[in-house]
Structure formats: structure tokens, C-alpha cells
Amino acid sequence: MPYTGRLIRVDLSANTTSVEDVDPDVLRKWIGGTGLGTHYLMQEVPPGVEWDSPENKVFLSTGPLAGTRVSGTGTISVVFKGPMNNLAGATQANGYLGAFLRSQGYLGIAIQGKADGLKRIHIDENGITITDASKYAGLPVWQLEDTIRGEEGLSDKQLSVFGIGPAGEHKVRFSALVGDRGHVASHNGIGAVLGEKGVKAITCKRGKVRPFVADNAKLNDLAKPLFQDAKEFGGGAIFNWGTGGGVSGAARGGWLPIKNYTTSIFEEHEKVSGQYLRGNFEWKTNPCWACQMGCCKLMTVTEGPYKGFSGEEPEYEGLASMASQIGITEAGAATMLANECDSLGFDVNELGWLLGWVIECFERGLLTSEQLDGLEPRWNDPESALALMKKIATRDGCGDWLAEGVMRASRHIGGEAGNAAIYTLKGHAPRSHDHRARWAEMFDTCLSSTGTIEVTSGGIQTERLGLAPTKNRFDPDEIVEQMSQLNGWHQFEDSLGICRFDFTSAKLGTATVSAVSGYDIDIAESLKIGRRISAQLRVWSFLHGMDPSLERPSTRYGSIPVDGPAQGANIMDHWDRMVREYRKKIGFDDGPGLPLPETLKSLDLEELIPVVEQIRAERELAAV
């Protein structure tokens, strides 16, 4: 028999919990993780429900691989309606929570309603409880983890703790869900949604239920080759250096974000790279569930003004956001800021764009010290950056309007300051890259229905499907063709309960999913599942008021680099044609970009055909 799943229901308004079996047909169609969340989002969050409404629901789930001996299988995916764009969010975090949920016999949690105060949702062998969490109010996430584990007398390998920091409690729009020492579900403000509901922490004790595996012998044959492929992928860069090892390559390639896109040259990149951190600081490996990749480290700074500071090794996005984007040239300072960001409960990407925008505007005289409560933030000034972070986390003074995120903050100030901000017109900021030198990710970020990238990951990684790598990252036709071929893959893998860094081979990966689940899934079906998820998210977004004319970059985001490797490159010359061609290739219409009836039929989404036709009719009527 194939794998099954149970879903925990938490109603915070009623202060009740229940458990239900997931329909086997639903599991077969949507697998788990992002897919399962997308299914429930369409079924249970109708138009008219806003991100801060008690009727908004959070679907936190894992997938068939979670908790198995496959490397890196503690991953969760969280699907919800978020505050950055008031549309769907789909964001993942690694660590232990996915594996521990499976070890207690559950596949996921659906959270609805609004509590009468801060609460902790706890899962163990005795069931599910909702307990008062008011004593944890204001605690940064690191302290929250230590406090709860200390109270329970359990280690981090026995109790998974995810929670929101002060940023989530104060409904900062770009706040995150953070846990298990530095693992962050960050995009589209999941922390604000949980803060609005009153969820301070979600904790799960490691249990004794073994996850279902259909064919153990087959899994034994696949687990090691799957990891070996991941270890060697990209020349072994992740295995050897973690994601922070990509900082210098990004600088040389022109896609490292530097001082809010005012330049593409950062000569100090080697001093804030993963190679420098691992070569100069003290560290030890802090792996996720069953993970052999070892890309997560705990570090102690051994030099400079922050000598003695201990925390998690910043990943690429932490270093890009807290170093080059705000002009920081000292690795200890970047490490401190990245850890403070996580502990306060922010999405480090949006925070980096926001701080860089503030610093540029202050240095240009577009923001005054009076507007910033006496602060005078400048490039390469970690203490002023930290002071701003703390004000934003509690919405203190200027932190109140900065907590709205870079798009809304820049519009609050207006004028020339508004033109300096980096975001998509839908409302969310990109990941921490200079996408003017990585066109595919800018295109993906703006067109995505997840509040972040949907098709790309470190560029267009067609090698995962055995396709030829990108030849020219500035060729609009090649980008559109490759993205259309890869479309669906990452949505599929985000449904499995495995870290993307451990799942680099489509052939080995789909065989592993089949061995565990009992399903017979090949690459073609995995892409179909992923495209089904993408299409349904797209339709749901239209039902919730998405405006396709906003699927574009802001003025600064889509600007032309003035120096560096991508100097003079201008994606906006090709934008509209790229959008039309991409939609055509993935089976969407040439107007608003809705899935065509034949596309929905091919994805087994026939029930959405009349829904889409009604959306088209309403749009045509509104245009008259």
C-alpha cells in the first residue's frame, strides 16, 4: 500500500485540536508539502479572506521522504496568504520539524482562528496541546528555543522548536518562522500571520513512529547514490563551503547585491565569504535530520570587534544581505547581524533591501536623522544597522513604517527615495542577488505565485533534469525556453520533505520517491505534479485579486547596471515579449496569463476550467 498521512487541525479561536486522515486520492495528486498546502489553500481560504483575518489558514506540512534515512529529510513547507502581497506564500525550512512530525505519526498541521493571547502548539506521544505562551512574549527566537528546551529537559535533537521573534509578535510584514538554530521559513511574512493568530511557538518532540517506506531494499540502493550526486553537484561547492561559499562567485559574476544596486563592484567579497568564515572562525557542524551534506555550521567569531560572538554560520543570503548589500566588509559583523536578524525573526532578504535603501537615502539626503529617530545609518556601520533592526522588530518610532517592508516604506517617503527601492510591484522583495545580472531569477521572482522564486534556484538549474546548462544568461529566448522546461520541478521537490541541496538528480530523486511512497512516479509525472501546483496557485491568486500588470520589477530593481560584469545589460527591453512567450510555452493565455482549458485538463484540474472562465469573463467586463 502507498504512504498515508494524518493532518492535525488547530482552531485557535475555539482552543481545540483534532486529527484527520488525509484522503489517499488527495495525497496521490498533491504528494505533500507545498502541493498539499496548495490543495487546502484552494479548498479552505476563499476570496475575501485577508492575510490578517482569523479565517486565513496556515498549512504547515512535510512529505513522503521526511523522517526517512534519506539525507536532509526534516523539511517543512508552509502555505498561507501573506502580507507582503496579500497573495499566496509558499516557503520552506529545514531542520528537524518535518522528521519529528512524521515520528509522531503526522504529515502536517492546519492552523486557523485567532487566540486570545500568545500560545504554544505542542505535539508529542500524548497528542496535541495548546498552552499559554505569554511568558515567552518578546523573547528572540534563540532564547525562545533555549527556554523551552530547558523547561522540557530535552536537547535540540529531541525537541524541534520553531517560533516567531519580536518581529512576528509586532506583525512586521516581512517577519519569519524560525527554528532549530537558524532554519527559516522566511518569505511573504509567515511570522506576521502567526503573530496575528497568536502563535509564538510550534514544538514537536521526537517520537517513535517510523515513516512508511514501501520498498526498503530499493531505498537502500538509492539513498547513497542520491546523496553522492548532491555532494558532487556544482563541483561540490555546497558540500565543501555551504551556500556562503558562493559569495565571491556572485561578486565575480555580477549578481552579488552591493549597496542597493548603486554599484556592482565589491572588492572585499573574499573577506565576507563562506571560505573566509570557515578558514578563520571556529566552527562545528550542525546538521539537519539525517543530513550528510554538513552545510550548516555553528560558529564563534575569533577576530575583530565581534570576537567571541557565537551563532549560526550565515548562509549566502545572510552574507549578501548583511554584508555587501549594506556595505559591511568585516566577517564578524556580518555574522552578528545575520544571527540577530534570525533571532529577531526577520526575512533576511527583505531586511537587507530595506536597510540598504535606508542607508542610501540617508547618505543622499533623501531621509533625515529626524525621520530616523536620531539614527545616522551609513555603509559599513553594523551598529546603526542593528539599532534599526531592533526598532523595526518592535515597530518603535520609525520602525513602525519601516516594518511595512521596502515597497510600502519607500512609497511612504515618496519622491526620489521611492525610485531607489528594490521590490516587485506585487509587493515582495527578491532574494539577495543582483538579478540584473541573473535575468532568469528576476523574471521568476516577478511572475511567481509563491511570494519568492518558483522555477529557478541559483539560476536555471536544468542540470537537475539532465538538460544542457545555460549558455547565455542574457539571452531572453534561452531563458524562456529553459524556464518552461524546468517549470514544476522545484514545486514538486518542495512537496517531498527534503532539502533542495540533497535532491539534485531528477532520475535518482523520482526513483527514491517511488521507493518510499509506493507510487510509480517518473520525471514526466513529477513535472506534471509541480505544474499542477503552479497552475492552481495561479488561479487562486487571481481569485484573490492579483493584478498581472504588477508582475514587473520596481524602477531600481529593473535598472541597468552602471559598472561590473553586467554593465549595460537591460532586461526591460525584452520583458513584455518574454512574458508572452513564457506563458505560451507553459500553456497560459496571452492576456492575463491564466491557464488554458487544455492545460488544466492535462494537469487533472478540470474543476478549475469554469472558475478560470468566470475570471476571464469578469476581467473582460471590467475592461469595457
Side-chain angles (χ1 to χ4, degrees), residues 292-476:
Q292 304 171 62
M293 191 66 71
C295 59
C296 296
K297 311 291 186 187
L298 295 177
M299 285 196 156
T300 299
V301 177
T302 58
E303 62 186 32
Y306 298 97
K307 182 178 179 179
F309 179 89
S310 294
E312 191 208 19
E313 174 192 38
E315 295 193 47
Y316 165 84
E317 291 175 0
L319 291 172
S321 299
M322 297 294 105
S324 59
Q325 163 61 2
I326 58 174
I328 299 294
T329 60
E330 200 274 317
T335 299
M336 179 276 293
L337 288 172
N339 276 271
E340 290 292 339
C341 167
D342 286 355
S343 193
L344 290 168
F346 292 115
D347 169 11
V348 74
N349 300 276
E350 183 88 24
L351 180 65
W353 299 121
L354 183 67
L355 293 177
W357 172 76
V358 169
I359 294 168
E360 179 190 343
C361 288
F362 178 76
E363 292 216 334
R364 292 174 58 191
L366 304 175
L367 277 174
T368 66
S369 178
E370 289 74 18
Q371 289 172 299
L372 298 173
D373 303 336
L375 295 176
E376 298 184 353
R378 300 188 183 278
W379 304 120
N380 204 15
D381 182 355
E383 288 303 314
S384 69
L386 180 61
L388 273 171
M389 288 164 57
K390 291 179 176 179
K391 292 183 74 67
I392 296 166
T394 57
R395 287 185 174 267
D396 174 40
C398 66
D400 187 46
W401 54 270
L402 290 171
E404 295 295 292
V406 67
M407 181 184 79
R408 292 170 178 84
S410 65
R411 291 177 177 177
H412 172 77
I413 298 301
E416 185 59 29
N419 293 329
I422 295 169
Y423 57 89
T424 73
L425 298 189
K426 285 195 291 191
H428 58 274
R431 294 199 310 153
S432 299
H433 297 85
D434 189 334
H435 283 159
R436 300 173 303 172
R438 191 173 258 177
W439 286 6
E441 286 200 32
M442 181 186 291
F443 190 70
D444 186 16
T445 301
C446 291
L447 269 62
S448 167
S449 296
T450 65
T452 182
I453 55 173
E454 186 172 352
V455 181
T456 57
S457 176
I460 315 174
Q461 294 185 347
T462 46
E463 304 95 309
R464 291 174 181 250
L465 298 183
L467 304 173
T470 304
K471 295 178 181 178
N472 182 358
R473 55 193 161 109
F474 301 114
D475 183 335

Side-chain angles (χ1 to χ4, degrees), residues 107 180 190 214 230 277 381 524 541 583 605:
L107 193 61
D180 293 351
I190 178 59
L277 268 64
D381 182 355
S541 295
R583 288 175 177 167
L605 292 173

Side-chain angles (χ1 to χ4, degrees), residues 6-12 15-20 101 104-106 108-111 120-131 201-204:
R6 294 193 299 162
L7 182 73
I8 298 169
R9 294 273 184 181
V10 176
D11 187 333
L12 294 162
N15 200 42
T16 60
T17 68
S18 61
V19 177
E20 65 187 48
L101 278 171
Q104 293 290 351
Y106 306 109
I109 313 168
I111 305 170
R120 169 188 169 192
I121 300 169
H122 179 64
I123 303 106
D124 62 20
E125 61 273 12
N126 298 312
I128 307 103
T129 56
I130 306 171
T131 59
I202 300 170
T203 61
C204 186

